Amino acid sequence: MTAATAVPAGSPAPQPTLRLYDSAARTVVPLAPTVTPGVVAIYLCGATVQGSPHIGHMRSAIAFDVLRRWLERQGQTVVLIRNVTDIDDKILARSAAAVPPVAWWAWAQRHEREFDAAYRALGVAPPTYEPRATGHLPEMISLVTRLLERGHAYTGEAGNVYFSVASLPGYGSLTNQRPEDLTSTEDPQQEDQEDTEADKRDPRDFALWKAARPGEPQDAAWDAPWGRGRPGWHLECSAMSHRYLGEEFDIHGGGIDLRFPHHENEQAQSHGAGWGFARHWVHNAWVTIKGAKMSKSLGNSLTVAELLRSHDPVVLRLAMGTVHHRSTVEFSEETLSEAASLWERLTGALTRAQEVCGDLESTDQAGLRRLALPEAFAAAMDDDLNLAGAMAQVHACLKRLNTALTQMGHGRAGDAASTGAADDVPTGVTTVRQTALELRAMLDVLGLDPFSDPWRSCLAGATGATSGSDAAAHALDHLVTDLLDQRAQARAAKDWARADALRDALSQAGVVVEDSPVGARWHLS
């Protein structure tokens, strides 16, 4: 069975044929065999809800959504855990600095909701489970106890608990670093030199448990055998991945900036506990603006909510989700313009195909996943999710669909060959349907099938724009529709001069009109 062949209902799930770049192995390796046959267990580092989500935060979510879709297309059951870090130094600091100050838990919940809205807007399917750090304190305390008992941790004078880096042979294997070459294993943003490092035995050790500090909210600390306090940032993910995925699972993922120290320390904690932990590490690259990583510190953070005021969510998804996960995405208006143009071509062709077939949109996701995919598309996706190769097949299929539509007289307006009728209408309809469904099936893998939720509302209809639903778009739609109605009346009265004049006026205003058997459509040039 090839990756391009749908898995028959009721058949045993095959091993995935996907090969992924493993950040620890530093090479492309087979994902199979998985820990549990037919199941791929993934832990993805999710949001630290310290502020509003920007488009850079969405990179991991979209990249792993595509990974999940491809694995499901191969008949795998995917268990995806994406955590929420709702307690850490940055959340406490930012909530206290707000004007007026906000309770830390209210600050975290507000931004968690914003992240959830951003995920949904961009078509990211919800994870299997989305645990919060504050909901798993017993598991974290249990893990610290285990590390103390196994000699990998110690308590400091102030009630902090640290992981002893020197106690674990192989520390640094994920990022190919030697402990003796390191001066610290803490994230500077999670570290307080005076309070946190004062009772360390070794500056390279990192915090498992932070003792409650004067001035911090009393409800931001929990009782533990070694003293009241709160968990260290790295501890949270080790405890939650073990709770939901067990001692060993298939893939640990996240942004490339998390490899060190966060993921290195997660691995150290889990290995110190005696767990196999992640078999494979998959990291996605950054989103950049003018070559610089998107971050609040650089002042180039673009919130998802702000971007959605001026851009369709599907355009953002297309721009972010069709670039290889290990390549940076250069985010710019040019990038968004190119994505919008491609979306318009895809939806235009599929809308015309729907007019020809009449029932194209009745095939749901389950139906699409029963269809065979082009071998070249499947091979590209199996090769470390090679989206450049996959998109080449999408473009080729789009071209074939447009050719089939043109031969049936349903080409784009202005196409000289689009006025002739097909000699063999049934054969033409079959070709259009098969090609359109093939295109939809590939787009479904990428989370971009125009006939699926939530993109139906972005699909071009018989008339109307595809650029959003704000007041300006509604006003433009009303004005253009009125002119198209006048043009239709002129054509019905055989007043060709007026009909052509109306079309020319729209064209000069940047409005492209496309005639079809069900009426005229329009879009911006």
Short mmCIF file of all heavy atoms in Angstrom, two decimals, residues 23 44-48 50 54 56-61 64 90 174-175 177 185-190 233-234 252-266 281-288 293-297 325-326 328:
data_model
loop_
_atom_site.label_atom_id
_atom_site.label_comp_id
_atom_site.label_asym_id
_atom_site.label_seq_id
_atom_site.Cartn_x
_atom_site.Cartn_y
_atom_site.Cartn_z
N SER A 23 15.50 16.50 15.04
CA SER A 23 16.46 17.49 15.50
C SER A 23 17.56 16.87 16.37
O SER A 23 18.67 17.40 16.43
CB SER A 23 15.75 18.60 16.28
OG SER A 23 14.83 19.28 15.46
N LEU A 44 3.10 18.78 21.75
CA LEU A 44 3.49 20.05 21.14
C LEU A 44 3.47 21.14 22.19
O LEU A 44 2.46 21.36 22.86
CB LEU A 44 2.51 20.41 20.02
CG LEU A 44 2.68 21.78 19.36
CD1 LEU A 44 4.05 21.91 18.70
CD2 LEU A 44 1.57 22.02 18.33
N CYS A 45 4.60 21.83 22.35
CA CYS A 45 4.64 22.95 23.29
C CYS A 45 3.72 24.06 22.79
O CYS A 45 3.91 24.59 21.69
CB CYS A 45 6.06 23.48 23.42
SG CYS A 45 7.06 22.53 24.58
N GLY A 46 2.72 24.37 23.58
CA GLY A 46 1.73 25.37 23.19
C GLY A 46 2.06 26.75 23.73
O GLY A 46 3.23 27.10 23.93
N ALA A 47 1.03 27.49 23.99
CA ALA A 47 1.19 28.91 24.33
C ALA A 47 1.56 29.11 25.80
O ALA A 47 1.04 28.44 26.68
CB ALA A 47 -0.10 29.65 24.03
N THR A 48 2.47 30.05 26.03
CA THR A 48 2.63 30.66 27.34
C THR A 48 1.78 31.92 27.29
O THR A 48 2.12 32.87 26.57
CB THR A 48 4.10 31.01 27.63
OG1 THR A 48 4.86 29.80 27.64
CG2 THR A 48 4.23 31.70 28.98
N GLN A 50 1.05 34.83 28.17
CA GLN A 50 1.48 36.07 28.81
C GLN A 50 0.96 37.30 28.08
O GLN A 50 1.00 38.40 28.61
CB GLN A 50 3.01 36.13 28.80
CG GLN A 50 3.59 35.98 27.40
CD GLN A 50 5.07 36.17 27.35
OE1 GLN A 50 5.57 37.23 27.72
NE2 GLN A 50 5.78 35.16 26.88
N HIS A 54 0.54 36.54 18.40
CA HIS A 54 0.90 37.14 17.13
C HIS A 54 1.08 36.03 16.10
O HIS A 54 1.04 34.83 16.42
CB HIS A 54 2.13 38.04 17.26
CG HIS A 54 3.38 37.36 17.75
ND1 HIS A 54 4.01 36.35 17.07
CD2 HIS A 54 4.14 37.58 18.86
CE1 HIS A 54 5.10 35.97 17.71
NE2 HIS A 54 5.19 36.70 18.81
N GLY A 56 3.55 34.89 14.59
CA GLY A 56 4.65 33.97 14.84
C GLY A 56 4.26 32.81 15.74
O GLY A 56 4.76 31.69 15.58
N HIS A 57 3.35 33.06 16.69
CA HIS A 57 2.88 31.99 17.57
C HIS A 57 2.12 30.91 16.80
O HIS A 57 2.03 29.77 17.24
CB HIS A 57 1.96 32.56 18.65
CG HIS A 57 2.64 33.40 19.67
ND1 HIS A 57 2.19 34.65 20.01
CD2 HIS A 57 3.76 33.19 20.41
CE1 HIS A 57 2.99 35.18 20.94
NE2 HIS A 57 3.95 34.31 21.18
N MET A 58 1.54 31.30 15.68
CA MET A 58 0.70 30.37 14.93
C MET A 58 1.50 29.40 14.06
O MET A 58 0.96 28.45 13.54
CB MET A 58 -0.29 31.14 14.05
CG MET A 58 -1.28 32.01 14.82
SD MET A 58 -2.40 31.04 15.88
CE MET A 58 -1.74 31.43 17.51
N ARG A 59 2.80 29.68 13.90
CA ARG A 59 3.60 28.84 13.00
C ARG A 59 3.59 27.38 13.43
O ARG A 59 3.36 26.47 12.61
CB ARG A 59 5.04 29.36 12.94
CG ARG A 59 5.92 28.58 11.95
CD ARG A 59 5.60 29.03 10.53
NE ARG A 59 5.99 28.05 9.51
CZ ARG A 59 7.20 27.89 9.01
NH1 ARG A 59 8.19 28.63 9.44
NH2 ARG A 59 7.42 27.00 8.06
N SER A 60 3.86 27.10 14.69
CA SER A 60 3.87 25.72 15.17
C SER A 60 2.49 25.08 15.04
O SER A 60 2.36 23.93 14.61
CB SER A 60 4.32 25.66 16.63
OG SER A 60 5.72 25.75 16.73
N ALA A 61 1.47 25.83 15.42
CA ALA A 61 0.11 25.28 15.39
C ALA A 61 -0.27 24.84 13.98
O ALA A 61 -0.81 23.74 13.78
CB ALA A 61 -0.88 26.32 15.92
N PHE A 64 2.04 21.79 12.67
CA PHE A 64 1.69 20.50 13.25
C PHE A 64 0.27 20.09 12.90
O PHE A 64 -0.07 18.90 12.95
CB PHE A 64 1.94 20.51 14.76
CG PHE A 64 3.39 20.31 15.11
CD1 PHE A 64 4.27 21.38 15.10
CD2 PHE A 64 3.89 19.05 15.37
CE1 PHE A 64 5.61 21.21 15.36
CE2 PHE A 64 5.24 18.86 15.64
CZ PHE A 64 6.11 19.94 15.64
N LYS A 90 6.83 35.43 33.63
CA LYS A 90 6.38 36.50 32.74
C LYS A 90 4.90 36.82 32.94
O LYS A 90 4.49 37.99 32.86
CB LYS A 90 6.67 36.10 31.29
CG LYS A 90 8.14 36.10 30.94
CD LYS A 90 8.41 35.70 29.51
CE LYS A 90 8.34 34.19 29.34
NZ LYS A 90 8.78 33.76 27.99
N LEU A 174 20.47 16.60 22.90
CA LEU A 174 19.48 17.11 21.95
C LEU A 174 20.06 18.23 21.10
O LEU A 174 19.84 18.28 19.89
CB LEU A 174 18.23 17.61 22.71
CG LEU A 174 17.17 18.31 21.85
CD1 LEU A 174 16.64 17.38 20.77
CD2 LEU A 174 16.03 18.83 22.72
N THR A 175 20.80 19.12 21.71
CA THR A 175 21.33 20.28 21.00
C THR A 175 22.83 20.17 20.70
O THR A 175 23.46 21.14 20.29
CB THR A 175 21.06 21.57 21.81
OG1 THR A 175 21.52 21.39 23.14
CG2 THR A 175 19.58 21.87 21.82
N GLN A 177 25.50 19.81 22.64
CA GLN A 177 26.34 20.70 23.45
C GLN A 177 26.95 19.92 24.61
O GLN A 177 26.34 18.97 25.12
CB GLN A 177 25.53 21.87 24.01
CG GLN A 177 24.93 22.78 22.96
CD GLN A 177 24.22 23.97 23.58
OE1 GLN A 177 24.80 25.01 23.82
NE2 GLN A 177 22.94 23.79 23.86
N THR A 185 21.88 27.00 32.04
CA THR A 185 20.88 26.22 31.30
C THR A 185 19.48 26.78 31.56
O THR A 185 18.49 26.08 31.42
CB THR A 185 20.92 24.74 31.73
OG1 THR A 185 20.67 24.64 33.14
CG2 THR A 185 22.27 24.12 31.41
N GLU A 186 19.42 28.02 31.95
CA GLU A 186 18.15 28.68 32.20
C GLU A 186 17.82 29.64 31.06
O GLU A 186 18.73 30.22 30.44
CB GLU A 186 18.19 29.48 33.51
CG GLU A 186 18.36 28.64 34.77
CD GLU A 186 17.05 28.08 35.31
OE1 GLU A 186 16.08 28.00 34.54
OE2 GLU A 186 17.02 27.74 36.50
N ASP A 187 16.54 29.83 30.80
CA ASP A 187 16.10 30.87 29.90
C ASP A 187 16.23 32.20 30.64
O ASP A 187 15.67 32.36 31.74
CB ASP A 187 14.63 30.63 29.50
CG ASP A 187 14.10 31.64 28.50
OD1 ASP A 187 14.65 32.76 28.44
OD2 ASP A 187 13.15 31.32 27.78
N PRO A 188 16.97 33.17 30.10
CA PRO A 188 17.15 34.45 30.81
C PRO A 188 15.84 35.11 31.21
O PRO A 188 15.77 35.79 32.24
CB PRO A 188 17.92 35.31 29.80
CG PRO A 188 18.62 34.32 28.93
CD PRO A 188 17.70 33.14 28.83
N GLN A 189 14.78 34.90 30.40
CA GLN A 189 13.50 35.53 30.73
C GLN A 189 12.80 34.83 31.89
O GLN A 189 11.82 35.34 32.43
CB GLN A 189 12.59 35.51 29.50
CG GLN A 189 13.13 36.33 28.34
CD GLN A 189 12.15 36.39 27.19
OE1 GLN A 189 11.06 36.95 27.31
NE2 GLN A 189 12.52 35.81 26.06
N GLN A 190 13.27 33.62 32.26
CA GLN A 190 12.65 32.87 33.35
C GLN A 190 13.56 32.84 34.59
O GLN A 190 13.34 32.07 35.50
CB GLN A 190 12.38 31.43 32.89
CG GLN A 190 11.43 31.31 31.71
CD GLN A 190 9.99 31.47 32.11
OE1 GLN A 190 9.64 31.49 33.28
NE2 GLN A 190 9.11 31.58 31.13
N TRP A 233 9.48 26.28 34.71
CA TRP A 233 8.90 26.24 33.36
C TRP A 233 9.10 24.88 32.69
O TRP A 233 8.17 24.32 32.09
CB TRP A 233 9.53 27.36 32.54
CG TRP A 233 9.05 27.48 31.13
CD1 TRP A 233 7.77 27.32 30.68
CD2 TRP A 233 9.84 27.79 29.98
NE1 TRP A 233 7.72 27.54 29.32
CE2 TRP A 233 8.98 27.82 28.86
CE3 TRP A 233 11.20 28.07 29.79
CZ2 TRP A 233 9.43 28.11 27.57
CZ3 TRP A 233 11.64 28.36 28.50
CH2 TRP A 233 10.76 28.37 27.41
N HIS A 234 10.29 24.31 32.80
CA HIS A 234 10.59 23.06 32.10
C HIS A 234 9.83 21.89 32.72
O HIS A 234 9.42 20.96 32.01
CB HIS A 234 12.09 22.78 32.15
CG HIS A 234 12.93 23.97 31.84
ND1 HIS A 234 12.84 24.64 30.65
CD2 HIS A 234 13.86 24.63 32.58
CE1 HIS A 234 13.70 25.65 30.65
NE2 HIS A 234 14.31 25.68 31.82
N HIS A 252 7.98 14.89 19.90
CA HIS A 252 7.87 16.13 20.68
C HIS A 252 8.17 17.27 19.72
O HIS A 252 9.16 17.24 18.99
CB HIS A 252 8.88 16.14 21.82
CG HIS A 252 8.62 17.20 22.86
ND1 HIS A 252 8.37 18.52 22.52
CD2 HIS A 252 8.55 17.15 24.22
CE1 HIS A 252 8.17 19.22 23.61
NE2 HIS A 252 8.28 18.42 24.67
N GLY A 253 7.31 18.28 19.70
CA GLY A 253 7.46 19.36 18.75
C GLY A 253 7.41 20.73 19.38
O GLY A 253 7.02 20.90 20.54
N GLY A 254 7.79 21.71 18.57
CA GLY A 254 7.73 23.10 19.00
C GLY A 254 8.62 23.96 18.13
O GLY A 254 9.25 23.48 17.17
N GLY A 255 8.67 25.24 18.44
CA GLY A 255 9.50 26.17 17.70
C GLY A 255 10.97 25.91 17.92
O GLY A 255 11.39 25.43 18.99
N ILE A 256 11.78 26.25 16.91
CA ILE A 256 13.21 26.00 16.98
C ILE A 256 13.86 26.74 18.14
O ILE A 256 14.88 26.30 18.69
CB ILE A 256 13.88 26.40 15.64
CG1 ILE A 256 15.32 25.89 15.57
CG2 ILE A 256 13.81 27.90 15.41
CD1 ILE A 256 15.43 24.40 15.46
N ASP A 257 13.26 27.86 18.57
CA ASP A 257 13.83 28.63 19.68
C ASP A 257 13.66 27.93 21.02
O ASP A 257 14.28 28.34 22.02
CB ASP A 257 13.20 30.03 19.73
CG ASP A 257 11.68 29.98 19.74
OD1 ASP A 257 11.11 29.08 19.10
OD2 ASP A 257 11.06 30.86 20.36
N LEU A 258 12.84 26.86 21.08
CA LEU A 258 12.63 26.13 22.32
C LEU A 258 13.62 24.98 22.52
O LEU A 258 13.64 24.36 23.59
CB LEU A 258 11.20 25.57 22.37
CG LEU A 258 10.07 26.59 22.38
CD1 LEU A 258 8.72 25.88 22.40
CD2 LEU A 258 10.19 27.53 23.58
N ARG A 259 14.44 24.71 21.50
CA ARG A 259 15.35 23.57 21.61
C ARG A 259 16.24 23.69 22.84
O ARG A 259 16.47 22.71 23.56
CB ARG A 259 16.22 23.45 20.35
CG ARG A 259 15.47 22.96 19.13
CD ARG A 259 16.36 22.93 17.89
NE ARG A 259 17.39 21.92 18.01
CZ ARG A 259 18.69 22.16 17.91
NH1 ARG A 259 19.14 23.40 17.70
NH2 ARG A 259 19.57 21.19 18.01
N PHE A 260 16.78 24.88 23.05
CA PHE A 260 17.60 25.10 24.25
C PHE A 260 17.23 26.44 24.87
O PHE A 260 17.13 27.43 24.15
CB PHE A 260 19.10 25.09 23.89
CG PHE A 260 19.99 25.17 25.09
CD1 PHE A 260 20.32 24.02 25.78
CD2 PHE A 260 20.46 26.39 25.56
CE1 PHE A 260 21.13 24.08 26.91
CE2 PHE A 260 21.26 26.46 26.69
CZ PHE A 260 21.59 25.29 27.36
N PRO A 261 17.02 26.47 26.16
CA PRO A 261 17.20 25.34 27.09
C PRO A 261 15.95 24.50 27.34
O PRO A 261 16.02 23.45 27.97
CB PRO A 261 17.62 26.04 28.37
CG PRO A 261 16.84 27.34 28.34
CD PRO A 261 16.80 27.75 26.88
N HIS A 262 14.79 24.95 26.86
CA HIS A 262 13.54 24.32 27.30
C HIS A 262 13.47 22.83 26.98
O HIS A 262 13.28 22.00 27.88
CB HIS A 262 12.35 25.06 26.69
CG HIS A 262 11.02 24.56 27.18
ND1 HIS A 262 10.75 24.35 28.51
CD2 HIS A 262 9.88 24.22 26.51
CE1 HIS A 262 9.50 23.91 28.65
NE2 HIS A 262 8.96 23.82 27.45
N HIS A 263 13.64 22.48 25.71
CA HIS A 263 13.49 21.07 25.35
C HIS A 263 14.66 20.23 25.87
O HIS A 263 14.47 19.07 26.24
CB HIS A 263 13.33 20.94 23.84
CG HIS A 263 12.01 21.42 23.35
ND1 HIS A 263 11.74 21.66 22.01
CD2 HIS A 263 10.86 21.70 24.01
CE1 HIS A 263 10.49 22.07 21.88
NE2 HIS A 263 9.94 22.11 23.08
N GLU A 264 15.84 20.80 25.88
CA GLU A 264 16.98 20.06 26.46
C GLU A 264 16.71 19.73 27.92
O GLU A 264 16.99 18.61 28.38
CB GLU A 264 18.24 20.91 26.34
CG GLU A 264 19.52 20.17 26.69
CD GLU A 264 19.97 19.18 25.62
OE1 GLU A 264 20.40 19.62 24.53
OE2 GLU A 264 19.88 17.96 25.87
N ASN A 265 16.14 20.68 28.65
CA ASN A 265 15.87 20.45 30.07
C ASN A 265 14.67 19.53 30.29
O ASN A 265 14.65 18.75 31.24
CB ASN A 265 15.66 21.79 30.77
CG ASN A 265 16.95 22.58 30.88
OD1 ASN A 265 18.03 22.06 30.61
ND2 ASN A 265 16.83 23.85 31.27
N GLU A 266 13.68 19.62 29.42
CA GLU A 266 12.58 18.65 29.49
C GLU A 266 13.11 17.23 29.35
O GLU A 266 12.74 16.32 30.11
CB GLU A 266 11.59 18.90 28.35
CG GLU A 266 10.55 19.95 28.57
CD GLU A 266 9.54 19.91 27.45
OE1 GLU A 266 8.84 18.90 27.32
OE2 GLU A 266 9.47 20.89 26.68
N TRP A 281 12.26 14.38 17.70
CA TRP A 281 12.09 15.80 17.95
C TRP A 281 11.89 16.52 16.61
O TRP A 281 12.71 16.39 15.70
CB TRP A 281 13.30 16.39 18.66
CG TRP A 281 13.43 15.94 20.08
CD1 TRP A 281 14.05 14.81 20.53
CD2 TRP A 281 12.90 16.60 21.24
NE1 TRP A 281 13.95 14.72 21.90
CE2 TRP A 281 13.26 15.81 22.36
CE3 TRP A 281 12.18 17.78 21.43
CZ2 TRP A 281 12.90 16.18 23.66
CZ3 TRP A 281 11.83 18.14 22.72
CH2 TRP A 281 12.18 17.35 23.82
N VAL A 282 10.80 17.28 16.51
CA VAL A 282 10.49 18.02 15.28
C VAL A 282 10.31 19.49 15.64
O VAL A 282 9.48 19.83 16.50
CB VAL A 282 9.21 17.47 14.61
CG1 VAL A 282 8.88 18.30 13.36
CG2 VAL A 282 9.39 16.00 14.24
N HIS A 283 11.09 20.33 15.00
CA HIS A 283 11.05 21.77 15.29
C HIS A 283 10.74 22.57 14.03
O HIS A 283 11.25 22.25 12.96
CB HIS A 283 12.39 22.24 15.89
CG HIS A 283 12.66 21.69 17.25
ND1 HIS A 283 13.45 20.58 17.47
CD2 HIS A 283 12.23 22.10 18.48
CE1 HIS A 283 13.50 20.33 18.77
NE2 HIS A 283 12.77 21.24 19.40
N ASN A 284 9.93 23.58 14.21
CA ASN A 284 9.62 24.48 13.09
C ASN A 284 10.42 25.76 13.21
O ASN A 284 10.81 26.19 14.31
CB ASN A 284 8.13 24.81 13.06
CG ASN A 284 7.66 25.53 14.31
OD1 ASN A 284 7.29 24.88 15.29
ND2 ASN A 284 7.65 26.86 14.30
N ALA A 285 10.69 26.39 12.06
CA ALA A 285 11.46 27.63 12.02
C ALA A 285 10.58 28.83 12.34
O ALA A 285 9.36 28.72 12.51
CB ALA A 285 12.11 27.79 10.65
N TRP A 286 11.20 29.99 12.38
CA TRP A 286 10.55 31.22 12.78
C TRP A 286 9.73 31.85 11.66
O TRP A 286 9.83 31.49 10.49
CB TRP A 286 11.60 32.25 13.21
CG TRP A 286 12.37 31.87 14.42
CD1 TRP A 286 11.90 31.23 15.53
CD2 TRP A 286 13.76 32.13 14.67
NE1 TRP A 286 12.90 31.07 16.45
CE2 TRP A 286 14.05 31.62 15.95
CE3 TRP A 286 14.76 32.76 13.94
CZ2 TRP A 286 15.33 31.70 16.52
CZ3 TRP A 286 16.04 32.85 14.51
CH2 TRP A 286 16.31 32.33 15.78
N VAL A 287 8.97 32.84 12.04
CA VAL A 287 8.40 33.82 11.11
C VAL A 287 9.28 35.06 11.21
O VAL A 287 9.60 35.51 12.33
CB VAL A 287 6.94 34.17 11.46
CG1 VAL A 287 6.42 35.27 10.56
CG2 VAL A 287 6.06 32.93 11.36
N THR A 288 9.70 35.60 10.08
CA THR A 288 10.57 36.77 10.10
C THR A 288 9.92 37.96 9.39
O THR A 288 9.05 37.79 8.53
CB THR A 288 11.92 36.48 9.42
OG1 THR A 288 11.68 36.08 8.05
CG2 THR A 288 12.67 35.37 10.13
N LYS A 293 13.67 37.78 13.32
CA LYS A 293 12.66 36.95 13.98
C LYS A 293 11.57 37.84 14.58
O LYS A 293 11.86 38.84 15.24
CB LYS A 293 13.29 36.10 15.08
CG LYS A 293 12.27 35.28 15.86
CD LYS A 293 12.87 34.73 17.14
CE LYS A 293 11.79 34.10 18.01
NZ LYS A 293 12.31 33.69 19.34
N MET A 294 10.32 37.43 14.36
CA MET A 294 9.20 38.19 14.93
C MET A 294 9.19 38.01 16.44
O MET A 294 9.18 36.90 16.95
CB MET A 294 7.89 37.68 14.33
CG MET A 294 6.68 38.42 14.84
SD MET A 294 5.16 37.85 14.05
CE MET A 294 5.44 38.44 12.38
N SER A 295 9.22 39.11 17.16
CA SER A 295 9.18 39.06 18.62
C SER A 295 8.76 40.41 19.16
O SER A 295 8.92 41.43 18.50
CB SER A 295 10.55 38.68 19.20
OG SER A 295 11.48 39.71 18.96
N LYS A 296 8.23 40.38 20.37
CA LYS A 296 7.82 41.64 20.99
C LYS A 296 9.03 42.53 21.27
O LYS A 296 8.95 43.76 21.18
CB LYS A 296 7.06 41.35 22.29
CG LYS A 296 5.66 40.80 22.06
CD LYS A 296 4.94 40.58 23.37
CE LYS A 296 3.47 40.23 23.14
NZ LYS A 296 3.29 39.03 22.35
N SER A 297 10.17 41.93 21.59
CA SER A 297 11.34 42.73 21.93
C SER A 297 11.82 43.55 20.74
O SER A 297 12.42 44.61 20.92
CB SER A 297 12.46 41.82 22.42
OG SER A 297 12.86 40.91 21.40
N HIS A 325 8.12 23.42 7.06
CA HIS A 325 8.13 23.78 8.48
C HIS A 325 9.52 24.13 8.99
O HIS A 325 9.65 24.83 10.00
CB HIS A 325 7.52 22.66 9.33
CG HIS A 325 8.30 21.38 9.33
ND1 HIS A 325 8.22 20.47 8.30
CD2 HIS A 325 9.17 20.84 10.23
CE1 HIS A 325 9.00 19.43 8.56
NE2 HIS A 325 9.58 19.63 9.72
N ARG A 326 10.57 23.67 8.32
CA ARG A 326 11.92 24.01 8.77
C ARG A 326 12.51 25.23 8.06
O ARG A 326 13.67 25.58 8.27
CB ARG A 326 12.86 22.81 8.59
CG ARG A 326 12.54 21.67 9.55
CD ARG A 326 13.63 20.61 9.59
NE ARG A 326 13.72 19.82 8.38
CZ ARG A 326 14.76 19.78 7.57
NH1 ARG A 326 15.81 20.56 7.81
NH2 ARG A 326 14.75 19.01 6.49
N THR A 328 12.11 29.41 7.25
CA THR A 328 11.49 30.61 7.79
C THR A 328 10.44 31.15 6.83
O THR A 328 10.55 30.99 5.61
CB THR A 328 12.54 31.71 8.06
OG1 THR A 328 13.22 32.00 6.84
CG2 THR A 328 13.53 31.27 9.11
#
